[in-house]
Amino acid sequence: MPSVARVPRRLAFLPFRGSAAVTEGLVTWAMLRGSTWHKLLPDVYVHADGYRETDHRMWCDALALVLPSGGTIAGRSALYLWGTDLLGRNAPVSVLLPRSVRMRPHPRLSVVRSPLPEDDRTRFGGLPVTTPLRTAFDLGRQPPLAEAVVAVDALLRRRVVKLPALADYAVRRAGWPGMPQFRRVLALAEPLSESPMETRLRLLLLDAGLGPIVAQHDVLDARGRFVGRVDLAWPALRVAVEYDGDHHRERAHFRQDVARLNALRAAGWLVLRFTADDVLRHPARTIALVTGALRERRLGRH
């Protein structure tokens, strides 16, 4: 029975520099050419057990090994590392480099060149990454506007960025590209938004002229007792709009939602619920339903 090659623990799952591993005697170049290892980048390998073609973290780990001095992971890749995944399938790793620094092109790499003060760099999860403030500032200046707000809301929601600090940060960089959009992002950002799709739904309604909208509104009954919290609300009209994600389909959550919805109706609230399909594929229908509900309540007050 053939023996199974022993894999050094240090090389079992994470990407590594092949030349360094060979120098340390952990593997040979002949071994690295075998099927046990995947070559990710020039001189960067990963064991077959750790290889996942669509694993963005694996590609961040790999590219971090070959980042030139002064470079850092940035943009949506930084947002991913800070805890929010807004990446498309097989998205390249976004890297920020000073203008004078060069890096070999690769399909899994997207390079942006910009000034990068030391205060805008940090380490997170062992990787060089732009600080939350710099990440929010960069993504907030990238069109389209709605996706810029989604990204900033995500960092605000995770409490790694606060809106006043972000506004102060922007003031100190008033001449940077993209500032007109960034000022709009600051005006539209909502720290209480609980998901990217909730932000998209809120922006859809605001763009239709249905504001102002209160996010995460606590509903009380006539005796001042807490009934429930709604995603988006027009409190004076007692109209609420909610985004239903996949978690609402779980049996236990579904039962809780039914009881909560009945309590809101008993308190005199009209609640409309929408899915991602409603927001992304049928925005006109979604706007019409909300507009109709608000009109109905306004007419009922007279």
Side-chain angles (χ1 to χ4, degrees):
M1 181 176 179
S3 60
V4 178
R6 179 179 174 273
V7 178
R9 183 178 184 133
R10 285 171 50 194
L11 310 184
F13 298 105
L14 295 177
F16 61 91
R17 295 293 294 259
S19 56
V22 170
T23 298
E24 293 181 48
L26 299 175
V27 290
T28 66
W29 288 115
M31 291 169 63
L32 290 176
R33 287 192 289 270
S35 60
T36 303
W37 310 95
H38 280 273
K39 185 176 182 178
L40 301 176
L41 304 165
D43 197 34
V44 177
Y45 298 80
V46 70
H47 188 267
D49 289 346
Y51 177 75
R52 301 290 184 274
E53 184 181 1
T54 60
D55 183 353
H56 198 74
R57 175 58 196 251
M58 178 195 75
W59 288 105
C60 287
D61 287 331
L63 282 160
L65 292 171
V66 295
L67 266 180
S69 177
T72 188
I73 295 169
R76 289 198 172 197
S77 295
L79 182 66
Y80 173 85
L81 295 175
W82 289 116
T84 298
D85 184 0
L86 296 180
L87 296 161
R89 182 177 173 83
N90 292 327
V93 176
S94 297
V95 168
L96 190 59
L97 297 178
R99 299 189 188 282
S100 60
V101 174
R102 294 290 175 263
M103 189 172 183
R104 180 182 296 181
H106 191 273
R108 290 285 184 169
L109 175 67
S110 175
V111 174
V112 174
R113 300 191 180 278
S114 173
L116 185 60
E118 190 61 33
D119 288 349
D120 286 347
R121 296 162 44 90
T122 188
R123 296 191 71 83
F124 186 77
L127 299 177
V129 62
T130 49
T131 62
L133 273 175
R134 178 61 189 265
T135 303
F137 182 67
D138 286 345
L139 291 174
R141 292 180 293 130
Q142 292 180 15
L145 175 65
E147 292 309 301
V149 178
V150 166
V152 171
D153 274 6
L155 288 163
L156 293 171
R157 177 173 63 254
R158 297 194 68 81
R159 299 182 181 180
V160 292
V161 171
K162 293 186 177 179
L163 206 49
L166 186 55
D168 289 343
Y169 181 95
V171 167
R172 299 194 299 273
R173 290 156 178 80
W176 285 45
M179 286 307 298
Q181 173 174 293
F182 191 76
R183 283 188 282 270
R184 293 185 66 193
V185 169
L186 289 177
L188 291 167
E190 175 52 77
L192 297 178
S193 182
E194 291 196 336
S195 72
M197 283 307 305
E198 183 182 313
T199 295
R200 293 185 180 103
L201 176 56
R202 179 174 60 86
L203 294 176
L204 174 67
L205 300 176
L206 286 174
D207 193 52
L210 300 180
I213 304 172
V214 178
Q216 299 303 316
H217 177 69
D218 287 343
V219 175
L220 307 178
D221 65 15
R223 298 173 63 180
R225 295 175 299 188
F226 179 76
V227 175
R229 178 174 294 167
V230 294
D231 292 343
L232 304 170
W234 293 259
L237 299 175
R238 288 189 292 183
V239 173
V241 164
E242 300 208 300
Y243 170 71
D244 282 355
D246 289 339
H247 66 282
H248 287 274
R249 295 170 177 80
E250 299 170 3
R251 183 180 296 273
H253 206 295
F254 176 75
R255 285 198 295 262
Q256 293 171 2
D257 274 358
V258 170
R260 173 176 162 278
L261 188 58
N262 288 338
L264 289 167
R265 286 173 176 165
W269 278 72
L270 174 59
V271 182
L272 299 176
R273 305 176 76 168
F274 298 103
T275 65
D277 194 62
D278 295 315
V279 178
L280 300 176
R281 296 187 181 182
H282 304 287
R285 184 177 69 189
T286 299
I287 291 168
L289 287 169
V290 177
T291 300
L294 294 173
R295 183 185 301 118
E296 176 186 322
R297 283 303 175 95
R298 288 190 181 102
L299 291 173
R301 295 171 65 183
H302 297 293

